[in-house]
Amino acid sequence: IATGRCHVPLDALFSRRSVKALLAFPDEILLEIIERLSFTDRLQMRAVNHRLYDLESRTAATAAAYRSVSTGLEWKMMDGLASLTIETVTGSISIFTLPLETGLSVLKRTMKSCTFDTMKLLHVDEKCLSKFAFYLRHVRAKKLGFYTIEQGVSD
Amino acid sequence: RIYPLMRVTLTTSDGASVTVSRQLTKHSGFIEKAITDMAVDDNAVPLSAVAVDVDDATLKLVIEWLTEHRDDALPYPEKTDEERRADDIPAWDQAFVQKWDTKEDQQQTLYAVITAADKLDIKGLLDMTCKTLANKINGKTVEEMREILQLECDFTEEELAEIRKENAWCEN
């Protein structure tokens, strides 16, 4: 085979053998696939195994996807439980009631990942409010306003 | 401008030779770069074959896709993160992929075409095949995903419990 002055050395060119299993793909291909999954499917995908967990978490950390999933988020704390209400772009509303620490990790993840039209904070104590303020660094919001019962209205 | 009648010979990893129009190869960043590196005029026929690390059977599928998409605009439009979706595969492409479903090794065929699209730097084909694979996974449980992708769970019980806790809110 004459290859002329091909810019890729042949040994490098032929080094990647055929792919028989998904994990044989390089990271960039797996990311191409992960980024095309829906929000909940991405969360499911990360539970499949370590490599997919690490890849999915990396994209979440850089806020690469699942924007526009939510148009509204409401966070409440009552009796040590966190209640997270998410309104999707299709108008459906999901309410999740979780132990506080789990709720905080979900809140952190959601705020890194979604675009919001509105946010509401209700029944927030000082410790939670400071965490919320920290997470605000990651949030993508068209018009950000948040409300707390104890502290009035802020913009 | 690339003249449609100009042709390029490709040699596959299993030793076959295929001659195709430059109108098709212009969609492959790898082949176009290889031709440029041969120091021939952009519109000339390269003096020697271009070696591609794709087997003959897979290259035939790639060429079939390129033939259908020969008039697609270049460069392939970069998608923003918001535009990345999997439910907009053109009807011809869907039928093209569905033909593989009759094959026993249809998932291997899909993997082979994804790999070929990556190696040959054909962005449109890579986009379409990744969407196809994403669609196979969408809406499935974790166990179903493992089965479809033939992957083993390598988490400890403690790690699994932690992930289930993280994901509990979306499994309600």
Side-chain angles (χ1 to χ4, degrees):
Chain A
I1 298 170
T3 57
R5 290 193 292 112
C6 181
H7 70 292
V8 181
L10 279 184
D11 53 348
L13 178 67
F14 293 119
S15 62
R16 285 202 229 167
R17 304 320 310 171
S18 61
V19 171
K20 300 287 184 198
L22 184 83
L23 294 186
F25 282 127
D27 284 358
E28 60 267 30
I29 298 290
L30 292 175
L31 286 170
E32 290 279 344
I33 296 160
I34 290 171
E35 286 172 3
R36 286 165 175 81
L37 294 174
S38 69
F39 179 62
T40 49
D41 288 318
R42 290 179 65 149
L43 291 181
Q44 300 279 57
M45 185 83 161
R46 71 206 295 264
V48 169
N49 74 13
H50 272 117
R51 184 160 167 222
L52 295 175
Y53 183 95
D54 292 342
L55 278 172
E56 198 282 331
S57 300
R58 192 198 305 169
T59 61
T62 54
Y66 23 112
R67 293 169 208 162
S68 80
V69 169
S70 302
T71 56
L73 177 147
E74 188 174 288
W75 169 265
K76 295 179 190 175
M77 279 174 51
M78 295 176 80
D79 302 326
L81 289 175
S83 170
L84 189 63
T85 303
I86 297 179
E87 184 181 347
T88 70
V89 286
T90 58
S92 66
I93 294 176
S94 305
I95 302 171
F96 306 97
T97 303
L98 303 158
L100 179 58
E101 283 307 312
T102 306
L104 280 170
S105 71
V106 170
L107 175 65
K108 178 182 176 185
R109 188 175 176 77
T110 307
M111 292 190 49
K112 277 183 175 180
S113 312
C114 299
T115 299
F116 301 97
D117 285 336
T118 56
M119 278 189 185
K120 291 179 185 176
L121 255 68
L122 304 168
H123 302 285
V124 177
D125 65 18
E126 199 169 317
K127 181 185 165 197
C128 186
L129 186 63
S130 71
K131 286 198 177 189
F132 186 86
F134 179 76
Y135 298 153
L136 275 177
R137 296 183 314 156
H138 303 292
V139 77
R140 295 162 192 278
K142 292 172 190 165
K143 182 184 175 188
L144 181 63
F146 63 91
Y147 308 82
T148 66
I149 281 188
E150 290 93 346
Q151 307 202 12
V153 178
S154 306
D155 286 314
Chain B
R1 175 169 177 216
I2 290 170
Y3 297 96
L5 291 179
M6 290 176 177
R7 300 177 79 75
V8 182
T9 299
L10 308 174
T11 52
T12 66
S13 58
D14 46 357
S17 287
V18 184
T19 302
V20 292
S21 160
R22 283 287 301 278
Q23 209 179 7
L24 304 189
T25 61
K26 71 181 180 184
H27 292 277
S28 164
F30 174 83
I31 296 171
E32 287 303 297
K33 182 91 168 67
I35 291 170
T36 305
D37 286 354
M38 286 179 190
V40 292
D41 180 271
D42 262 359
N43 288 323
V45 177
L47 298 174
S48 51
V50 175
V52 294
D53 186 18
V54 177
D55 64 57
D56 186 40
T58 306
L59 188 62
K60 282 193 170 77
L61 292 174
V62 171
I63 290 169
E64 188 181 344
W65 186 88
L66 285 172
T67 304
E68 174 63 21
H69 289 268
R70 62 190 176 279
D71 296 325
D72 285 3
L74 286 172
Y76 189 74
E78 291 290 332
K79 296 267 196 310
T80 63
D81 292 328
E82 286 86 350
E83 290 169 337
R84 284 181 190 272
R85 45 191 289 189
D87 59 352
D88 59 348
I89 300 176
W92 188 92
D93 288 7
Q94 288 182 38
F96 174 62
V97 174
Q98 274 166 13
K99 283 192 294 187
W100 310 340
D101 281 341
T102 56
K103 293 185 177 183
E104 267 181 37
D105 60 345
Q106 58 95 7
Q107 191 127 313
Q108 298 302 319
T109 305
L110 180 58
Y111 288 175
V113 177
I114 290 174
T115 308
D118 179 42
K119 285 176 177 172
L120 299 178
D121 189 16
I122 305 171
K123 291 186 170 55
L125 181 58
L126 183 62
D127 189 34
M128 186 278 284
T129 46
C130 285
K131 283 175 182 174
T132 301
L133 189 49
N135 283 337
K136 285 178 183 289
I137 303 165
N138 266 335
K140 301 291 189 295
T141 65
V142 176
E143 288 73 24
E144 287 168 336
M145 285 182 182
R146 285 200 193 104
E147 192 179 329
I148 291 167
L149 303 172
Q150 298 175 322
L151 296 175
E152 296 289 324
C153 175
D154 58 359
F155 290 116
T156 63
E157 282 302 317
E158 291 74 22
E159 287 170 331
L160 272 179
E162 186 62 31
I163 293 168
R164 281 196 199 103
K165 206 162 73 177
E166 284 178 18
N167 284 1
W169 69 287
C170 75
E171 288 168 353
N172 285 349

